[in-house]
């Protein structure tokens, strides 16, 4: 039996097919969209915060994908302007509905998938300061904040109950000195590292985000730890020397491993020197990648054998930054190269083989 559609209805359906579909496609990814930050909750599920030119400024847009970037949907973007000082606007999703965004000074959060965004305060923080990382795990929020002063600064761990409008310093978790820094990682437990002046770092681990145990730092004195989450029950860390050593635009690095959370780190496998360390991530105990920038070029140094041998991918000559390097699972990794308002723009790169090959993800 052949069903016949009335001529008037057929005309309406034809009109809808022609006029609605292209308009919908155009509204998903704004014209001129450039990624600023990315965060993934799984190998195929990810989010990209970016900006596009509008009215002599840059307007934010938040996109989501569930198929590795083949298709995108539009979400409610946070009211976060693109900073004039080129601070990184960092996006962190802690679940499909919970996310944080920060430009280093201001923090906003959503708990409804971007439908609404609310400010998060930092108790006692006085500018100038820079919030380098924020995340949520085990029902609590954790952030690393560094303040600057006349030849003296401090880096502290901030925390609060999930959904709290204000984060407060955690007593006893601080490092002071001329140059201070810190890192934290989640996944298989929480890790916190704080240090100053390339001296001995302090390092803590926690399985529940409430009870912390001090542990031997991942890195020897004279280097800074970049932390990855627990991978197959092992912990992977990168130890970097001060920038410019052994030569300008280079950094001495080594990969170290611990057999479990809170265990003793060992190993001295050297990573390539090229570039200043920008980020670090591990897909497994054996597979890790270092993001570095030097001489106006972005490098991704990757190993598949625990640091014994390395390959280097040269991304571009954007030469500003490599951010948000992460491996959310199944050998899949992501990184953002460049900044939206830079002359060279920015791009999202993705790997599906633990960092051996990278390709640009075309958005829109």
């Amino acid at each position: 039996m052949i069903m016949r559609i009335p001529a008037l209805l057929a005309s309406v359906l034809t009109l809808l097919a022609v006029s609605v579909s292209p308009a919908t496609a155009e509204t998903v990814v704004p014209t001129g969209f450039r990624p600023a930050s990315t965060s993934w909750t799984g190998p195929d599920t990810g989010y990209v915060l970016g900006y596009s030119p509008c009215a002599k400024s840059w307007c934010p847009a938040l996109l989501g994908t569930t198929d590795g970037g083949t298709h995108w949907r539009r979400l409610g973007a946070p009211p976060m302007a693109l900073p004039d000082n080129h601070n990184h606007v960092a996006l962190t999703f802690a679940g499909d509905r919970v996310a944080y965004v920060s430009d280093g000074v201001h923090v906003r959060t959503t708990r409804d998938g971007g439908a609404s965004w609310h400010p998060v305060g930092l108790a006692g923080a006085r500018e100038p300061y820079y919030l380098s990382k924020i995340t949520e795990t085990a029902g609590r929020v954790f952030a690393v904040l560094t303040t600057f002063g006349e030849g003296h600064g401090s880096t502290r761990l901030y925390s609060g109950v999930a959904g709290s409008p204000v984060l407060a310093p955690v007593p006893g978790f601080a490092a002071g000195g001329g140059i201070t820094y810190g890192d934290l990682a989640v996944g298989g437990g929480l890790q916190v590292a704080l240090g100053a002046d390339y001296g001995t770092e302090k390092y803590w681990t926690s399985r529940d985000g409430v009870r912390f145990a001090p542990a031997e730092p991942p890195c020897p004195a004279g280097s800074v730890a970049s932390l990855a989450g627990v991978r197959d029950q092992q912990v992977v860390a990168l130890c970097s020397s001060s920038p410019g050593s052994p030569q300008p635009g280079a950094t001495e690095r080594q990969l170290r491993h611990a057999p479990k959370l809170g265990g003793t780190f060992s190993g001295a496998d050297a990573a390539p020197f090229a570039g200043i360390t920008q980020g670090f991530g591990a897909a497994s105990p054996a597979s890790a990648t270092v993001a570095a920038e030097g001489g106006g070029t972005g490098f991704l140094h990757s190993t598949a054998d625990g640091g014994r041998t390395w390959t280097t991918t040269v991304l571009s000559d954007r030469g500003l930054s490599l951010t948000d390097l992460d491996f959310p699972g199944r050998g899949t990794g992501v990184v953002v190269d460049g900044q939206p308002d830079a002359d060279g723009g920015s791009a999202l790169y993705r790997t599906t083989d633990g960092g051996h090959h990278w390709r640009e993800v075309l958005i829109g």
Side-chain angles (χ1 to χ4, degrees):
M1 176 178 177
I2 299 176
M3 297 183 63
R4 299 185 181 277
I5 301 175
L8 178 59
L9 178 58
S11 298
V12 171
L13 292 175
T14 301
L15 179 62
L16 289 174
V18 172
S19 62
V20 174
S21 296
T24 301
E26 290 177 357
T27 58
V28 172
V29 182
T31 301
F33 177 86
R34 294 179 175 182
S37 184
T38 191
S39 181
W40 293 65
T41 57
D44 301 316
T45 302
Y47 306 86
V48 175
L49 174 65
Y51 292 81
S52 59
C54 67
K56 298 182 179 180
S57 183
W58 293 86
C59 292
L62 181 61
L63 309 176
T65 181
T66 56
D67 56 13
T70 302
H71 302 93
W72 297 89
R73 69 186 188 279
R74 189 83 169 262
L75 304 172
M80 185 71 69
L82 191 61
D84 294 334
N85 60 3
H86 296 296
N87 270 4
H88 176 47
V89 179
L91 174 72
T92 302
F93 264 81
D96 292 335
R97 297 180 63 80
V98 178
Y100 296 85
V101 65
S102 172
D103 62 2
V105 178
H106 309 95
V107 184
R108 289 186 175 272
T109 185
T110 180
R111 307 195 75 80
D112 52 19
S116 61
W117 291 84
H118 308 281
V120 177
L122 302 167
R126 296 184 179 181
E127 295 189 46
Y129 63 78
Y130 185 78
L131 187 143
S132 58
K133 185 169 285 190
I134 185 169
T135 191
E136 182 176 317
T137 185
R140 296 192 64 84
V141 186
F142 296 93
V144 176
L145 185 139
T146 297
T147 58
F148 309 95
E150 292 292 334
H152 184 83
S154 68
T155 297
R156 302 183 64 98
L157 179 68
Y158 273 65
S159 185
V161 176
S164 172
V166 178
L167 305 182
V170 181
F173 287 73
I179 301 175
T180 63
Y181 37 80
D183 196 14
L184 61 82
V186 297
L190 176 65
Q191 303 173 69
V192 178
L194 304 175
D197 301 323
Y198 297 94
T200 303
E201 290 186 321
K202 298 178 181 179
Y203 175 69
W204 301 264
T205 65
S206 175
R207 295 189 180 277
D208 59 10
V210 177
R211 293 164 293 186
F212 285 83
E216 182 179 336
C219 298
S223 57
V224 177
S226 298
L227 305 172
V230 179
R231 301 289 186 256
D232 297 333
Q233 299 184 344
Q234 296 187 45
V235 186
V236 190
L238 179 74
C239 301
S240 301
S241 67
S242 61
S245 173
Q247 61 192 35
T251 308
E252 292 181 298
R253 309 179 182 93
Q254 60 179 254
L255 200 64
R256 291 170 65 83
H257 296 81
K260 62 180 181 179
L261 186 69
T264 300
F265 285 83
S266 62
D269 293 302
F273 290 169
I276 305 301
T277 302
Q278 304 275 296
F280 172 67
S284 71
S287 178
T289 296
V290 180
E293 186 279 324
T297 301
F299 306 98
L300 294 174
H301 306 299
S302 298
T303 180
D305 56 14
R308 289 187 294 276
T309 61
W310 296 79
T311 59
T312 297
T313 301
V314 180
L315 284 188
S316 75
D317 58 359
R318 292 185 177 94
L320 283 175
S321 62
L322 290 171
T323 55
D324 303 327
L325 176 62
D326 188 32
F327 288 85
R330 283 205 324 257
T332 299
V334 291
V335 69
V336 173
D337 180 24
Q339 295 180 343
D341 58 346
D343 290 340
S346 59
L348 171 66
Y349 286 86
R350 186 169 183 260
T351 179
T352 56
D353 58 9
H356 189 63
H357 298 93
W358 295 82
R359 66 173 181 85
E360 183 176 345
V361 178
L362 300 179
I363 304 175

